[in-house]
């Protein structure tokens, strides 16, 4: 089992398990966008090839077993042992299936915020162009965001779509339980995007009061699962829905049912939101990484402890640099326990700073006006300190 003191040291105790990504020799602060994969991920990829070579078309029994491992991994993260989990290659695939199940002709209103990731921002924007009423509630101030979103929930609202952690600013959104209660009282579907929380902020649905919510997420970021590992957690009432965008896998569990002329059949449970033939390689890789996390005690609670230390280390170190605030600054009003897994720095030109840091060997990422320092558990405090020194050099010229 790994402990925090081991991770703070140079070399970091976990780094030896990420040799292929060279995490001990590079400063990869891209953790909010793409964390390194542990070396055992290669085992999953090779196993996928071996199963295909041995079994050919009968490989699917083994592939479906890997898909079940992925569902179990996501259920564990959500503290939802019996929840329905639909899998997809991207959150966009799953959002489209979800939206296609909404009765938009009768309830043509969707409520969201102006702080959502591009998956929702773009698709909802396009739907608005086609006449769907899309209400975007300002994300700031985040302290009242859930309450202000709840005030926009009307009888003709089909769904509310919000984030648990804002992807630009790293702010945790409080009050989601209240929003869930309001949605439930009006039979409105609530979708919580937990992509920027899972693996860095514990997300027990029971503790958060979100047992009646849909939850969207994936493993590209903090979970180190790589591409192609996204999910949609379904509440109990999803059994009544019939998504218009539907693949033939959604019929597997209904093949033996009596056919109703003129009506498309759906399987029970999460399979009714299934797609069609897919590349199972991502599930092999993801299942092996889930096992790696379990082997090394990388639980949500422990990863939160690591993240709070690393983000706090970066925030304290940044403040000590005394950099000009008209060039780069950070939110000092929000307590760090209300911040997710990265330090968000507001910049006059975030893209230019990101490029300049990359030229000096410090990988970060940026979105709009925000430069994002995304640490990961395989980085040592010395590497974080080195990144801050490079930032100082870049800003001061």
């Amino acid at each position: 089992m790994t402990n925090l003191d081991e991770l703070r040291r140079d070399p970091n105790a976990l780094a030896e398990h990420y040799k292929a990504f060279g995490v001990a020799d590079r400063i990869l602060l891209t953790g909010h966008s793409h964390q390194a994969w542990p070396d055992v991920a290669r085992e999953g990829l090779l196993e996928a090839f071996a199963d295909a070579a041995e079994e050919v078309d009968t490989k699917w029994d083994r592939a479906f077993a890997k898909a079940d491992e992925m569902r179990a991994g996501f259920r564990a993260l959500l503290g939802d042992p019996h929840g329905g989990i639909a899998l997809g290659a991207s959150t966009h695939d799953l959002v489209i299936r979800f939206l296609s199940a909404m009765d938009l002709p009768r309830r043509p209103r969707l409520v969201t915020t102006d702080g959502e990731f591009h998956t929702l921002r773009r698709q909802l924007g396009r739907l608005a162009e086609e006449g769907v009423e899309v209400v975007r509630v300002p994300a700031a101030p985040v302290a009242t965001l859930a309450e202000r979103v709840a005030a926009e929930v009307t009888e003709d609202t089909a769904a509310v779509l919000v984030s648990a952690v804002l992807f630009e600013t790293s702010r945790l959104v409080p009050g989601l339980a209240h929003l869930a209660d309001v949605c439930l009282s009006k039979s409105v579907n609530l979708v919580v995007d937990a992509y920027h929380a899972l693996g860095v902020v514990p997300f027990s649905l029971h503790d958060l009061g979100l047992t009646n919510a849909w939850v969207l997420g994936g493993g590209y970021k903090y979970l180190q699962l790589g591409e192609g590992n996204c999910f949609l957690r379904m509440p109990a009432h999803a059994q009544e829905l019939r998504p218009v965008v539907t693949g033939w896998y959604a019929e597997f569990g209904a093949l033996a049912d009596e056919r109703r002329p003129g009506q498309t059949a759906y399987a029970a449970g999460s399979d009714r939101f299934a797609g069609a033939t897919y590349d199972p390689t991502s599930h092999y890789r993801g299942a092996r990484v889930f096992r790696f996390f379990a082997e090394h005690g990388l639980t949500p609670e422990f990863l939160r402890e690591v993240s709070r230390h690393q983000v706090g280390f970066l925030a304290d170190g940044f403040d000590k640099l005394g950099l000009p605030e008209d060039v780069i600054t950070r939110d000092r009003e929000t307590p760090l326990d209300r911040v997710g897994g990265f330090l968000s720095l507001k910049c006059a030109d975030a893209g230019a700073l990101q490029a300049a840091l990359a030229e000096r060997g410090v990988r970060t990422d940026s979105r709009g006006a925000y430069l994002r320092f995304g640490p990961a558990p395989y980085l040592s405090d010395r590497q974080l300190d080195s990144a801050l020194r490079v930032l100082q050099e870049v800003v001061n010229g």
Side-chain angles (χ1 to χ4, degrees), residues 35 41 53 200 252 257 373:
Q35 288 205 7
V200 73
F252 274 179
D257 294 349
F373 273 37

Side-chain angles (χ1 to χ4, degrees), residues 289-309:
V289 173
F290 267 142
R291 292 200 299 274
F292 171 82
F293 271 45
E295 291 161 2
H296 291 272
L298 303 181
T299 64
E301 292 74 22
F302 176 68
L303 291 171
R304 180 59 174 165
E305 182 184 3
V306 174
S307 174
R308 288 190 63 180
H309 164 73

Side-chain angles (χ1 to χ4, degrees), residues 67-199:
D68 285 340
E69 283 191 56
M70 296 305 299
R71 292 188 182 94
F74 290 129
R75 289 189 187 104
L77 289 168
L78 299 174
D80 186 33
H82 306 295
I85 301 286
L87 301 176
S90 69
T91 54
H92 183 254
D93 287 350
L94 295 164
V95 165
I96 288 296
R97 293 179 214 166
F98 166 80
L99 289 172
S100 78
M102 298 296 98
D103 188 1
L104 291 177
R106 189 174 67 88
R107 305 180 84 171
R109 179 181 171 95
L110 300 172
V111 179
T112 186
T113 83
D114 66 2
E116 300 308 308
F117 187 67
H118 306 308
T119 295
L120 292 178
R121 176 194 58 79
R122 177 178 172 81
Q123 190 60 67
L124 296 185
R126 185 65 184 90
L127 287 174
E129 293 177 3
E130 295 300 316
V132 176
E133 182 183 3
V134 177
V135 178
R136 289 187 179 82
V137 178
V142 71
T144 61
L145 177 55
E147 181 180 350
R148 288 182 288 113
V149 171
E152 295 289 346
V153 178
T154 58
E155 298 298 331
D156 62 347
T157 301
V160 173
L161 305 99
V162 299
S163 287
V165 177
L166 298 177
F167 84 103
E168 286 186 321
T169 64
S170 195
R171 296 285 299 276
L172 274 64
V173 178
L176 291 177
H178 166 68
L179 176 58
D181 288 342
V182 171
C183 288
L184 181 63
S185 70
K186 297 184 178 181
S187 299
V188 172
N189 290 280
L190 171 63
V191 179
V192 178
D193 184 349
Y195 211 139
H196 306 99
L198 294 179

